[in-house]
Amino acid sequence: MGYGGGRREIPSGAGVRMGSNSSPKEDKPAMQERRLEIYAAILLSIAALGSSWSGYQSARWSGVQSTKYSQANAMRVESNRVSTAAGQLQGIDVQLFTHWLNAYAVDNQKLEQFYRKRFRAEFLPAFETWLNSDPMNNPKAAPSPFGLPEYRLILNEQATQAEAEAARIFKEGQAANQQSDDYVLNTVALSMVMFLVSIAGTSRSIAARTGLLIVAVLITVTGVYHLATFPII
């Protein structure tokens, strides 16, 4: 018996597409997303480390600022103390010189010698120079020994030096304060990187995610550059 008509022809090309569930074009978006995730992870790591280091350095420089300000205040207190002592010594010089003038005016040589022997060593050079200029008859003579360059108070000079040192230390404190502020600003910038990466992770648009990550990269590069150039302690 024949089985004519029982055979069915299989359409040509049937099964050719068997096992090919996706095309290269369909894999490209997935690859792009994977790359963006890797870039985002790298940016997050760099930003987190940089932010932590900036915060640490900011705290260190803030400590330097406080120390410098305290030192400057202590130096100013010392300057005021020494200046007060210098003023007291100058008052003694003025009083003794005034008493000597009064004794000289009444021609009391014994009293003159009494006060002259009690002149301080710092005052004597100026007094001798003034006396040798014949102030009683020389109109060009200085009015008193206190206006002559020979009159020097070591304590006054020490007070001036202490004040200058206080000003120098205070400027160092200001510089430390500025450096601390710079590190704080860098911390904020690197924190912005983490914010942008987080926002990019919630976006479904690859173009939007790419744009956000590009901005994050630029900020990260700037932050890392600052970390490489800022002074550290």
Side-chain angles (χ1 to χ4, degrees), residues 43-89:
L43 287 174
L44 281 175
S45 300
I46 296 174
L49 290 174
S51 179
S52 298
W53 177 255
S54 293
Y56 169 73
Q57 284 295 313
S58 175
R60 292 290 301 273
W61 281 104
S62 180
V64 171
Q65 169 206 343
S66 300
T67 300
K68 292 295 183 181
Y69 282 170
S70 297
Q71 291 175 347
N73 289 334
M75 193 62 67
R76 286 199 175 97
V77 170
E78 177 65 13
S79 175
N80 291 333
R81 185 190 68 79
V82 175
S83 180
T84 300
Q88 292 172 346
L89 294 179

Side-chain angles (χ1 to χ4, degrees), residues 110-164:
K110 184 177 181 180
L111 194 55
E112 283 181 50
Q113 292 299 321
F114 174 83
Y115 288 121
R116 187 166 181 171
K117 289 180 180 179
R118 284 157 179 78
F119 286 161
R120 293 189 319 107
E122 285 184 316
F123 176 67
L124 279 174
F127 175 78
E128 296 292 346
T129 301
W130 176 79
L131 196 60
N132 292 334
S133 67
D134 192 16
M136 305 304 174
N137 302 310
N138 183 10
K140 294 182 179 181
S144 73
F146 303 101
L148 297 175
E150 287 78 6
Y151 183 66
R152 295 177 54 196
L153 285 170
I154 299 300
L155 289 183
N156 259 343
E157 296 176 1
Q158 292 177 356
T160 301
Q161 292 174 357
E163 182 62 30

